[in-house]
Amino acid sequence: QVQLVESGGGLVQAGDSLRLSCASSGRTFSTYAVGWFRQAPGKEREFVAAISWSGGRTYFANSVKGRFTISRDNAKNSVYLQMNSLKPEDTAVYYCAARMGVGLRTKEDEYDYWGQGTQVTVSS
């Protein structure tokens, strides 16, 4: 079983940066690929970024490419989402999710475990 806890959200202004963290209590977290998703009010949850179990491969949604980076520290059972040049349209609840297996995935139903989410609000 893998439990995920997100942190680092908050209220910032457009152009600011935030770093979200996803911490796991699972002993096998280093074997899981991790994705970040977000859900804005009234919208469906959407893919943001993913990282392979080793950290060697990453993938981003077009809407955040060039502004967001994803990294992980398996010794700390953590994955990070660095968000720069934030825009009001980045406002959402951000979730991390984990899945076993190789390959980076962008669909919610391909992930096995989910955190509870952390709110990010970007004011204009």
Side-chain angles (χ1 to χ4, degrees), residues 28-108:
T28 59
F29 185 65
S30 61
T31 63
Y32 286 77
V34 173
W36 283 95
F37 291 75
R38 67 186 182 186
Q39 187 168 22
K43 295 187 177 181
E44 294 186 349
R45 192 153 53 182
E46 64 176 4
F47 170 78
V48 176
I51 189 167
S52 62
W53 66 270
S54 67
R57 290 181 295 133
T58 59
Y59 186 73
F60 297 91
N62 288 336
S63 58
V64 305
K65 199 173 295 183
R67 299 188 298 122
F68 291 11
T69 60
I70 187 171
S71 61
R72 69 188 299 161
D73 184 341
N74 285 338
K76 296 183 178 180
N77 278 359
S78 294
V79 170
Y80 308 100
L81 184 68
Q82 177 67 42
M83 306 185 296
N84 299 327
S85 302
L86 282 162
K87 305 175 181 180
E89 51 263 44
D90 294 318
T91 295
V93 177
Y94 283 72
Y95 301 88
C96 67
R99 64 178 299 275
M100 291 198 71
V102 300
L104 302 180
R105 298 290 185 262
T106 64
K107 297 184 188 298
E108 290 183 58

